[in-house]
Amino acid sequence: MSTLNARSDDVLEKTTYAPLIRHNKICLVLANGFYEWDKMSGKPIPHGFSLKDREVFAFAGLWTEWKSKSGDEIYRSFTIMTTRANDIVGKVQDPKFRMPVILDSAEERLWLDSNFAPMEKLKLCDRYRDDVMQVHIVSSSVNITAVKGGPNNHPAFILPMNSQ
């Protein structure tokens, strides 16, 4: 079962996610950007999204842990909250598409606050402002997870295509 993303608009209705937010299994997922593939032109062209005003920012997240069947190992995982796409993401994807919930600095504190009610936390899960976001086309190699048995994580993948 894929649990990469949790839809903020129905998270309290999902048996996988509702207990996490109700029991404050809340986290911040740090990032300096995210990728989406162009679905509007018919070609799978990766685009990198980042913020103009912050080099590192946080997605709203939920976390959980469980034990292996043998009970010997503890596994931890997280999911990123999503919301409807803003205009800048909607130009690359279908406007009905979803995007990660990006929190501003004040919202990060509220998201982590155990005294802040789940319904109030979910009000933070709105579209991020377009005017502080930027987008550029990146190398299609960003989609390849391994090359010759090793990780494919070259730093140039996050640069705009014309600067590589």
Side-chain angles (χ1 to χ4, degrees):
M1 176 170 73
S2 174
T3 57
L4 180 59
N5 298 317
R7 295 175 59 99
S8 60
D9 48 341
D10 65 3
V11 72
L12 289 174
E13 300 165 19
K14 302 295 182 186
T15 56
T16 303
Y17 303 120
L20 302 180
I21 196 161
R22 286 193 179 114
H23 293 108
N24 206 45
K25 299 280 188 148
I26 303 295
C27 66
L28 299 176
V29 180
L30 300 180
N32 63 358
F34 63 96
Y35 302 106
E36 297 297 348
W37 278 252
D38 185 340
K39 298 278 175 39
M40 304 300 278
S41 70
K43 297 178 183 177
I45 301 167
H47 288 67
F49 293 86
S50 58
L51 302 184
K52 295 176 186 175
D53 60 343
R54 290 193 290 166
E55 189 173 327
V56 176
F57 55 91
F59 299 134
L62 303 173
W63 68 275
T64 189
E65 65 182 15
W66 65 92
K67 290 184 179 178
S68 62
K69 289 182 182 181
S70 66
D72 296 340
E73 295 184 67
I74 295 176
Y75 297 99
R76 292 182 179 92
S77 64
F78 68 92
T79 188
I80 295 171
M81 302 293 289
T82 64
T83 190
R84 66 195 194 318
N86 62 13
D87 291 339
I88 197 168
V89 175
K91 288 178 184 172
V92 174
Q93 292 278 356
D94 183 315
K96 293 180 257 175
F97 186 73
R98 316 236 358 126
M99 65 178 284
V101 171
I102 301 170
L103 301 170
D104 66 31
S105 299
E107 291 171 332
E108 290 172 7
R109 288 188 214 40
L110 291 172
W111 184 253
L112 294 174
D113 187 340
S114 61
N115 296 313
F116 202 55
M119 287 303 291
E120 295 303 310
K121 288 181 190 238
L122 292 176
K123 290 179 184 176
L124 303 173
C125 296
D126 202 6
R127 304 179 330 158
Y128 204 71
R129 293 180 21 219
D130 289 292
D131 62 319
V132 294
M133 290 185 70
Q134 56 194 6
V135 60
H136 56 269
I137 295 173
V138 297
S139 170
S140 59
S141 295
V142 76
N143 201 36
I144 303 167
T145 57
V147 177
K148 296 182 183 175
N152 190 31
N153 60 0
H154 196 279
F157 294 164
I158 65 173
L159 299 175
M161 280 298 289
N162 59 1
S163 66
Q164 293 181 23

